[in-house]
Amino acid sequence: MIFLTMKVAKQTFKFFILVSFLFANAFAMADNSSKDPVVSGNKVDTAEEIREYISHHLKDSHDFHFYTHNESGTHYSFPLPVIVWTSNGLKTFMSSAFHHDDAGQVIVDKGDTKLVKIHSKIYELDQGATSVNFDAEHHATNAHKVLDFSITKSVFGMLLTGLLMLLGFGALARGFKKGKSVPTGFSRVLEPLVIYVRDEIAKPNIGEKKYRKFMGFLLTVFFFIWILNLLGLTPLGFNVTGQIAVTACLAIFTVVIYMFSGTKDFWAHTLWMPGVPVILRPILAVIELVGFVIIKPFSLLIRLFANITAGHFVVMSLIALMITLKASFGPVVSTGMSLLLSLFIMVIELLVAFLQAFIFTMLSSLFIGMAVEEHDDHH
Amino acid sequence: MYNLIGAGLIVIGGGIGLGQIGGKAMEGIARQPEAAGKIQTAMIIIGALLEGLAFGALILGK
């Protein structure tokens, strides 16, 4: 009986977490709708404000910013650590030291170095300077950028994803290690997905003989992208797979892997294509090399980046509809419209989140398959 | 202005391409429903390649 109560309590706790998470979502949306276009007497251009808000969301930032209460000017956010390498060595502090300033007004004094944040980038003031001077194009004239190793929002998202994957797949692997043939709990959800990646993506594209070596990479990339895409749909405001640096890094992994696992046949076909006139072979070699080294990874990284960025942009624009149409349709109609539209686009985004992870893994395994293929039939 | 016209042209081209892919895949599935899975996978791959091309052009034009 006690066991049963404990089990129920555990379930209730999980349920409570889930419900509070959903409510957090609702609140985050509610805050958006209650945002007044009038700030302390000054009329603010709502469209401009929304555009700024969206572009701010699409970029990486040094803190989690949920919303700002316009009347009181209070920011609802929580800080993340800033780790920078300045000309005077390593400096660490929490991003709350900047007090949400993004225009270089607040100067963080770390003894021998003064640091400011301008447009989400951290600058170090030159020796002797006490405030930032800007030129006509709003570039800082007496400050320079520093090497930034901060745990930004995106880095935090990636670490969180890594932790989630470690927990989930660690449990799955431990279950198999113990000799259980059927996984239990959450592993039961993960196992079919792993099997799916193996049977539908890796095996048909790489081949029965060689797929095993690349499963680690393919599974990691698949779940990494998928979980990050899904995290991007939560109101936490992650946009990690919409950062071009992240997708570029993933594409570089793929290139390095297929370049270094290329067989003799692959290189022969790339550099000295058999079966075509000798005069054409150098031209073909250049085309093939450019294709493998530049075009294929470029299309991989652009696809993921552009899809996720465009998706976030559309979702946020539709949510912002309730503010832009408030004046002409009234609060109830505009909110209902935006709720309906953003609900449908969210469902599509759920599909896109999976599809992009699938496509990235699929094309990676296709390219790897091209590289490791052995030609039995010589032409 | 010109980049907006370019973006429109890219979307037209990509739309025609995607329409061709989707339409032919539908025809293929209607003729041979048991090959639906394979056709779908191939369709998604070609769609993704096309998408990469179109997005690349959009990013370059921006």
Side-chain angles (χ1 to χ4, degrees):
Chain A
M1 192 61 208
I2 294 166
F3 177 71
L4 193 71
T5 345
M6 268 176 72
K7 201 166 180 190
V8 168
K10 208 176 159 193
Q11 294 295 328
T12 322
F13 182 63
K14 277 184 189 166
F15 181 71
F16 174 72
I17 289 179
L18 190 71
V19 166
S20 53
F21 196 66
L22 290 175
F23 265 93
N25 196 345
F27 279 130
M29 287 198 169
D31 297 331
N32 258 340
S33 63
S34 65
K35 203 172 193 178
D36 212 72
V38 179
V39 182
S40 61
N42 301 322
K43 187 93 177 108
V44 170
D45 187 359
T46 327
E48 188 60 37
E49 202 183 1
I50 288 166
R51 203 168 298 135
E52 236 169 60
Y53 185 67
I54 293 176
S55 65
H56 177 80
H57 163 81
L58 291 180
K59 277 189 291 183
D60 199 5
S61 68
H62 284 88
D63 57 355
F64 270 100
H65 183 244
F66 292 115
Y67 76 107
T68 303
H69 196 261
N70 268 341
E71 275 157 37
S72 60
T74 342
H75 295 279
Y76 292 87
S77 62
F78 63 90
L80 290 167
V82 174
I83 304 160
V84 285
W85 181 262
T86 65
S87 48
N88 294 318
L90 199 69
K91 303 282 170 198
T92 53
F93 53 95
M94 293 305 274
S95 66
S96 52
F98 285 121
H99 296 292
H100 305 284
D101 167 59
D102 206 26
Q105 300 296 321
V106 177
I107 294 164
V108 177
D109 200 342
K110 299 303 279 180
D112 44 2
T113 26
K114 293 187 173 66
L115 296 153
V116 290
K117 188 157 71 109
I118 306 163
H119 297 305
S120 303
K121 295 269 187 298
I122 292 178
Y123 288 77
E124 184 191 354
L125 285 182
D126 291 339
Q127 212 67 43
T130 49
S131 68
V132 191
N133 297 328
F134 294 103
D135 61 8
E137 279 100 46
H138 205 74
H139 293 303
T141 49
N142 59 347
H144 55 271
K145 275 185 194 167
V146 290
L147 269 181
D148 198 346
F149 301 107
S150 304
I151 311 291
T152 58
K153 205 164 70 175
S154 296
V155 177
F156 183 78
M158 282 189 270
L159 291 176
L160 184 68
T161 309
L163 193 70
L164 285 176
M165 280 165 71
L166 209 62
L167 288 176
F169 293 102
L172 180 62
R174 268 198 304 281
F176 282 120
K177 218 174 190 176
K178 274 185 207 147
K180 272 193 280 180
S181 56
V182 180
T184 50
F186 189 61
S187 308
R188 209 174 277 186
V189 183
L190 295 175
E191 198 216 4
L193 290 166
V194 174
I195 301 286
Y196 176 78
V197 173
R198 189 191 70 187
D199 287 352
E200 302 295 322
I201 301 178
K203 266 186 192 170
N205 290 311
I206 304 179
E208 288 279 344
K209 268 185 272 172
K210 293 184 171 174
Y211 78 91
R212 216 158 222 295
K213 205 166 80 181
F214 304 104
M215 276 307 284
F217 172 70
L218 293 177
L219 282 171
T220 309
V221 144
F222 179 79
F223 286 103
F224 185 73
I225 295 175
W226 193 20
I227 295 172
L228 280 178
N229 285 350
L230 289 178
L231 272 183
L233 296 179
T234 63
L236 291 172
F238 287 113
N239 183 27
V240 187
T241 35
Q243 308 287 343
I244 203 153
V246 176
T247 59
C249 201
L250 290 171
I252 288 170
F253 280 145
T254 304
V255 175
V256 168
I257 285 175
Y258 71 62
M259 278 293 168
F260 281 92
S261 53
T263 56
K264 207 173 69 193
D265 283 330
F266 165 70
W267 287 111
H269 276 252
T270 308
L271 298 174
W272 205 245
M273 182 77 85
V276 291
V278 179
I279 237 170
L280 281 178
R281 287 182 186 187
I283 306 169
L284 269 179
V286 171
I287 294 172
E288 290 274 314
L289 267 183
V290 168
F292 270 109
V293 180
I294 297 167
I295 296 174
K296 285 193 168 97
F298 189 73
S299 77
L300 266 183
L301 78 94
I302 288 292
R303 180 177 308 110
L304 183 57
F305 159 75
N307 259 298
I308 302 305
T309 306
H312 279 237
F313 198 89
V314 171
V315 167
M316 294 199 77
S317 305
L318 287 178
I319 291 175
L321 214 63
M322 67 173 96
I323 310 162
T324 45
L325 294 184
K326 196 175 161 190
S328 40
F329 288 102
V332 179
V333 176
S334 64
T335 309
M337 231 151 84
S338 122
L339 183 71
L340 211 67
L341 285 172
S342 49
L343 181 72
F344 282 122
I345 212 79
M346 270 291 192
V347 176
I348 294 175
E349 283 303 308
L350 273 178
L351 179 73
V352 169
F354 174 78
L355 203 64
Q356 288 310 315
F358 172 76
I359 290 283
F360 197 99
T361 321
M362 185 69 150
L363 290 177
S364 292
S365 60
L366 202 71
F367 299 154
I368 293 171
M370 278 180 195
V372 300
E373 199 177 14
E374 269 165 24
H375 292 270
D376 299 324
D377 48 331
H378 283 286
H379 29 204
Chain B
M1 184 61 199
Y2 289 117
N3 54 8
L4 284 180
I5 295 172
L9 288 175
I10 294 164
V11 172
I12 289 172
I16 293 171
L18 270 183
Q20 289 272 336
I21 298 163
K24 300 285 185 208
M26 290 285 165
E27 271 176 29
I29 292 171
R31 282 185 193 174
Q32 226 168 341
E34 67 272 14
K38 276 185 182 171
I39 293 174
Q40 241 162 23
T41 314
M43 179 183 79
I44 290 174
I45 291 176
I46 305 292
L49 289 173
L50 178 93
E51 197 185 46
L53 204 69
F55 271 133
L58 280 178
I59 298 280
L60 288 179
K62 200 180 139 195

